[in-house]
Amino acid sequence: MAAASLTLTACGGDSGDDSSSSDQVITVDGSEPQNPLVPSSTNETGGGNVIDELYAGLVAYKADGSTVNEVADSIESEDNKTWTVKLKDWEFSDGSKVTADSFVKAWSYGAFIDNAQLNAYFYYPIAGTNDEGNSETPELSGLKVVDDKTFTITLKQAEADFPARLGYSAFFPLPDAAFGSDGKVTKEFGENPITNGPYKMDGEGAWEHDTQIRLVPNENYDGERKPENGGLTFKFYTDLDAAYTDVQAGNLDVLKSVPDSALTTFESDENVQAISEPGSVFQSFTIPQSMPGFGSDEEGKLRRQAISLAINREEITDKIFNGTRTPAKDFSSPLMPGFNEKIEGSEILSFDPAKAKQLWAQADEIKKFSGKFQIGYNGDGGHQAWVDAVSNQLKNNLGIQASGKSYPTFDELRKDVTDRTIRIAFRTGWQPDYPSIYNYLAPVYGTGAGSNDGDYSNKQFDDLINQAAGAQDEDERYKLYSDAQAVLMQDLPAIPTWYTNIAAAAAKGVNNVEFNWQNLPEYHKLTK
């Protein structure tokens, strides 16, 4: 797999060895988490990026996406259906032991339907869950504790690549202290969790809401991602231009995505270190199945296809993003193993205004469209320019009213999406949880999946994804991914737009700036 990885070492008279210190705190950009810092209830990047630094799973992912054992000493199976996990000696940040029960209890809590956890879908392969990953009982029948350092996982079907998923946050452990007397994870724990990863919370008040979260190295951590710095502070920005100005001034160490306003200049900006590399983040906008005129019937499919054909992705990625985005060819990323840019039906992602107008007219013959087509987006993420450009193209090529609707913060947008109170299309994207096309498809478009924000459902797609998960042969698995995507090309539950390249900036004097397969910095390696 081609790795989205680049390491920069600052040069110049002020960055010699005698000025570099591993005990300095690194400041990075972030956004206010939607929910408390509990792995099973976090499926957005604001909280997810923090949680990934606080916790450690059975496996960890290197910068190139390869998998190594982390808390697991071994994960073995004779039939790819029943897996035996043996743990290393490991402690939480409060000194309590990480045991088999720490994993079994956390996963069972995440799957139990009464707990309504957003990441429940990830448990669906495990026996005792339904297709949405939920169990009807508090204890998940597919998990069995053998002893303090051993447990078994029984799946519904053989899945050869199941261990590769176990570095995702839904599979992190929780200490006994996380749970209250009612068996629920307490709000207090989510505000200041006890964790087992490379970092821990910097004491009470480390989470200053709408401002920042402070992390310090976890002295009890002995894994693959040992911090080389004195801590991380995730600073929350509602304006990326302000974040970029802070990088230029040395007030922010790393900005993972530069604002649109700097895309034409950041690589020549002498005040920053520029990072520009191919990336793995998929971007789209989702049209809810409940949106009038855009359901799963013939009218809805025609309108979705017309919308897609009316967008000139090449023009937007060139003029708005200065080539730092690549027009989408599928629903995943070119960096994933098995990527296929010639999915059946993928011509629907081409610019064809004449056909777009024709399909829209066919939909109008079924039922005349009235009203305005809007795309909701978070104003703190630098999305206005492309939303305005797409809206103008829809106006010009379909003759409809179209515009963007700005939410002040990502958290506010996600609240409406999660609560299903949003009544318009809305921007979506996917930063992979582990390096597989499967991860771009099943959690986002599978029936009842936790990140299926548009409530899409297609049995043919679900069946193909399940077959792919159970495929023993790699080539067969990749073909099934392509077949599943062909179904998506027909239905367009979301409109693919482009892949986000890494276009980031670091302040002068920051060392070891390396971006990984998730388009994220290797936070633990950053120094200055």
Side-chain angles (χ1 to χ4, degrees):
M1 180 177 70
S5 177
L6 177 68
T7 301
L8 295 179
T9 302
C11 57
D14 63 348
S15 61
D17 290 343
D18 59 347
S19 65
S20 178
S21 175
S22 62
D23 61 2
Q24 292 200 29
V25 173
I26 301 295
T27 56
V28 298
D29 73 295
S31 58
E32 173 73 9
Q34 180 186 4
N35 295 309
L37 297 173
V38 178
S40 58
S41 68
T42 299
N43 68 344
E44 46 78 36
T45 57
N49 292 343
V50 177
I51 280 174
D52 284 344
E53 302 307 309
L54 288 172
Y55 292 87
L58 294 172
V59 304
Y61 305 113
K62 291 187 176 182
D64 64 359
S66 59
T67 302
V68 293
N69 282 350
E70 179 89 310
V71 182
D73 187 51
S74 63
I75 306 172
E76 298 177 343
S77 177
E78 295 182 356
D79 58 5
N80 292 331
K81 185 175 180 181
T82 298
W83 297 86
T84 298
V85 178
K86 293 186 178 296
L87 304 180
K88 299 173 183 173
D89 289 327
W90 207 278
E91 292 182 352
F92 287 105
S93 54
D94 66 346
S96 61
K97 295 291 185 182
V98 176
T99 66
D101 196 55
S102 306
F103 286 94
V104 169
K105 194 171 180 180
W107 300 6
S108 294
Y109 179 83
F112 185 35
I113 193 167
D114 287 4
N115 295 328
Q117 298 294 283
L118 293 175
N119 273 333
Y121 180 77
F122 283 87
Y123 309 116
Y124 88 88
I126 302 173
T129 64
N130 59 20
D131 290 344
E132 287 77 43
N134 291 128
S135 66
E136 298 291 336
T137 59
E139 295 182 0
L140 194 49
S141 64
L143 303 176
K144 300 292 182 186
V145 173
V146 178
D147 56 45
D148 276 355
K149 295 175 67 175
T150 310
F151 70 100
T152 61
I153 310 166
T154 301
L155 307 182
K156 298 173 188 172
Q157 64 172 20
E159 299 198 14
D161 69 344
F162 180 74
R165 307 179 200 177
L166 298 178
Y168 178 56
S169 58
F171 298 104
F172 290 162
L174 289 174
D176 286 341
F179 301 93
S181 58
D182 60 355
K184 304 279 190 182
V185 174
T186 66
K187 182 179 179 181
E188 292 75 18
F189 178 85
E191 287 286 319
N192 188 24
I194 296 164
T195 57
N196 72 318
Y199 295 91
K200 63 182 182 179
M201 300 292 280
D202 187 16
E204 291 291 336
W207 185 353
E208 301 171 47
H209 286 280
D210 299 311
T211 301
Q212 64 184 17
I213 290 178
R214 303 187 316 275
L215 310 183
V216 294
N218 175 13
E219 63 274 10
N220 291 333
Y221 175 80
D222 189 25
E224 295 288 328
R225 299 172 290 149
K226 289 184 179 178
E228 297 175 21
N229 49 56
L232 299 171
T233 296
F234 286 83
K235 299 176 68 173
F236 304 151
Y237 288 87
T238 58
D239 181 358
L240 285 183
D241 287 298
Y244 186 72
T245 299
D246 275 357
V247 176
Q248 290 174 308
N251 297 323
L252 179 68
D253 292 322
V254 179
L255 175 64
K256 64 181 178 294
S257 181
V258 301
D260 294 349
S261 60
L263 288 176
T264 59
T265 59
F266 83 103
E267 291 186 81
S268 59
D269 189 338
E270 295 182 354
N271 295 311
V272 304
Q273 299 182 75
I275 302 98
S276 181
E277 282 286 297
S280 61
V281 172
F282 168 80
Q283 299 285 0
S284 60
F285 59 90
T286 293
I287 305 175
Q289 298 291 307
S290 59
M291 189 166 154
F294 289 88
S296 58
D297 56 6
E298 184 65 15
E299 178 196 358
K301 288 184 180 181
L302 288 169
R303 294 204 190 283
R304 291 167 184 268
Q305 292 170 8
I307 292 285
S308 182
L309 291 166
I311 300 171
N312 189 335
R313 294 165 177 80
E314 294 277 358
E315 181 178 67
I316 293 175
T317 54
D318 180 44
K319 293 186 176 180
I320 300 292
F321 294 114
N322 196 44
T324 60
R325 307 289 189 272
T326 302
K329 302 292 185 184
D330 79 331
F331 286 79
S332 68
S333 159
L335 295 186
M336 293 298 108
F339 170 76
N340 178 8
E341 67 174 15
K342 295 183 179 179
I343 303 290
E344 182 182 348
S346 61
E347 62 273 8
I348 203 68
L349 305 183
S350 303
F351 179 51
D352 190 340
K355 187 173 182 181
K357 190 168 291 187
Q358 175 189 350
L359 294 178
W360 192 265
Q362 289 178 23
D364 273 350
E365 290 176 4
I366 298 172
K367 185 178 181 180
K368 187 71 176 178
F369 181 78
S370 61
K372 179 188 291 187
F373 186 88
Q374 286 189 293
I375 301 174
Y377 66 96
N378 52 304
D380 60 352
H383 298 287
Q384 181 177 349
W386 75 258
V387 171
D388 288 349
V390 167
S391 298
N392 286 331
Q393 290 180 354
L394 297 180
K395 287 180 194 174
N396 295 334
N397 298 322
L398 295 178
I400 63 173
Q401 294 184 55
S403 66
K405 178 183 177 181
S406 177
Y407 285 74
T409 66
F410 185 56
D411 182 41
E412 290 173 81
L413 170 63
R414 288 302 307 173
K415 185 178 187 305
D416 274 8
V417 171
T418 303
D419 293 346
R420 298 301 192 264
T421 56
I422 197 162
R423 296 291 181 262
I424 59 175
F426 51 92
R427 68 149 292 266
T428 40
W430 193 254
Q431 172 186 298
D433 306 305
Y434 52 90
S436 169
I437 289 175
Y438 180 92
N439 182 240
Y440 287 81
L441 304 181
V444 186
Y445 308 110
T447 299
S451 295
N452 186 344
D453 295 329
D455 296 320
Y456 172 70
S457 180
N458 184 304
K459 187 177 185 304
Q460 183 184 7
F461 172 82
D462 292 341
D463 288 345
L464 287 166
I465 282 297
N466 286 335
Q467 290 175 42
Q472 303 301 305
D473 179 74
E474 195 171 72
D475 290 339
E476 180 188 359
R477 187 180 307 129
Y478 294 158
K479 181 183 182 301
L480 289 164
Y481 290 155
S482 294
D483 291 345
Q485 291 204 65
V487 176
L488 299 182
M489 292 296 177
Q490 289 292 319
D491 294 348
L492 292 176
I495 308 298
T497 51
W498 37 76
Y499 315 114
T500 301
N501 299 349
I502 298 168
K508 291 290 188 178
V510 179
N511 301 322
N512 304 317
V513 184
E514 180 180 353
F515 276 69
N516 61 28
W517 59 279
Q518 286 183 300
N519 282 30
L520 290 174
E522 289 282 271
Y523 291 111
H524 64 285
K525 294 182 179 180
L526 296 168
T527 62
K528 63 180 180 180

